[in-house]
Amino acid sequence: MRVKLVDWVEIPAGMLRRGTPAEEVEEVAHRYADTGVPVEWYRKEAPRTEIHLPAFRIARTQVTVGQWTLFAQATRRPAPQAPVDHPVIGVTWKEAMDYCRWLEEQFGGLDVRLPTEDEWERAARGDDGREFPWGNEYRTGLANLVDLGIGTTTPVGSFPEGASPFGVLDMAGNADEWTSTRYAPYPGAPIEVPSAEDWAFDPHVTRGGAFRHDRDLARCARRHGAYEQDLTAIGVGFRPAASAR
């Protein structure tokens, strides 16, 4: 079976309503109180800011085991032992960057990279301030999260009804995703938001949540990181981005 290197989705230039209004953080924490997530973790999303982003491209799906295996063979790395249509997980930030550079070479110099945190959120959210890629209400069965009870990854694109407004798949669940952005508070963040997350295994922000995570991590605004060193167990993967044509 021939493996396509990447299926690009064109994201038009437009406005991102990034984050969560500071005055709504307490209500958000209350709404997800059953997950046990403290309100402090949601304050990292504040304040809500409108940001204009230029056009860019992002992969429709997370990088699959099949796609990663081509890279592994070309760079003499061990190939993962998992179904080829599942997202590759257990990938460090540096390995994800190495993959992007390799993909760049395959496309003749295209500037392939990891998406910025803002690009990721725009690809997930579209033009409005929706809470999840598919809308404002959480619905079990639109993403591979812990409530499904699967306990592992599923083939990429298994939940087409959970697609973002631009048709990007699995922006919630299945595999958590690296961004190119190092964690820092948003400008104007509440004073109690930490300036660094020294407890994180890696300083870069991850987005979207994985199969082992609860619905709070499926929210488009949710910022988190790789807080455990076992990146396979916590389901960390990625998808590439690039500048528009």
Side-chain angles (χ1 to χ4, degrees), residues 7 13 33 57 63 72 85 98 103-104 109-110 114 116 146 151 159 162 164 170 174 185 217 222:
D7 178 12
R57 282 182 277 182
V63 173
D85 56 354
D98 288 345
L103 200 59
E104 195 171 67
L110 181 70
L114 292 174
T116 66
V146 72
F159 303 90
S164 83
D170 295 326
N174 214 14
L217 279 181
R222 187 79 152 80

Side-chain angles (χ1 to χ4, degrees), residues 6-211:
V6 61
D7 178 12
W8 293 116
V9 176
E10 305 286 338
I11 309 296
M15 194 69 68
L16 166 65
R17 299 176 67 194
R18 184 184 71 186
T20 300
E23 64 274 14
E24 295 180 12
V25 169
E26 296 279 351
E27 190 277 328
V28 170
H30 178 74
R31 193 185 318 151
Y32 299 99
D34 62 298
T35 66
V37 176
V39 65
E40 290 77 16
W41 290 19
Y42 296 105
R43 289 198 177 105
K44 294 186 294 183
E45 302 171 11
R48 165 67 59 81
T49 306
E50 291 194 352
I51 301 170
H52 184 273
L53 291 178
F56 64 97
R57 282 182 277 182
I58 195 166
R60 190 177 304 278
T61 69
Q62 298 151 345
V63 173
T64 66
V65 169
Q67 291 168 332
W68 181 267
T69 297
L70 294 176
F71 163 69
Q73 292 170 344
T75 58
R76 299 185 178 182
R77 301 168 190 248
Q81 300 301 306
V84 296
D85 56 354
H86 284 228
V88 65
I89 57 174
V91 177
T92 67
W93 187 86
K94 181 182 181 302
E95 287 172 332
M97 289 292 292
D98 288 345
Y99 179 90
C100 289
R101 283 190 284 269
W102 173 79
L103 200 59
E104 195 171 67
E105 294 172 1
Q106 311 313 303
F107 283 106
L110 181 70
D111 64 330
V112 183
R113 51 186 170 75
L114 292 174
T116 66
E117 190 179 9
D118 289 347
E119 287 174 334
W120 192 99
E121 189 167 335
R122 173 151 169 78
R125 241 181 175 153
D127 295 320
D128 53 37
R130 63 183 55 202
E131 189 153 11
F132 301 99
W134 53 82
N136 285 321
E137 299 296 326
Y138 183 76
R139 290 166 50 199
T140 297
L142 297 186
N144 181 13
L145 293 155
V146 72
D147 56 349
L148 285 187
I150 295 174
T152 188
T153 56
T154 51
V156 298
S158 292
F159 303 90
E161 292 184 4
S164 83
F166 297 117
V168 187
L169 300 168
D170 295 326
M171 296 297 276
N174 214 14
D176 206 13
E177 300 182 24
W178 289 116
T179 72
S180 63
T181 304
R182 293 175 67 95
Y183 168 79
Y186 286 149
I191 193 169
E192 60 268 38
V193 173
S195 60
E197 293 190 322
D198 297 332
W199 55 89
F201 172 65
D202 186 282
H204 295 92
V205 175
T206 61
R207 290 291 199 119
F211 60 86

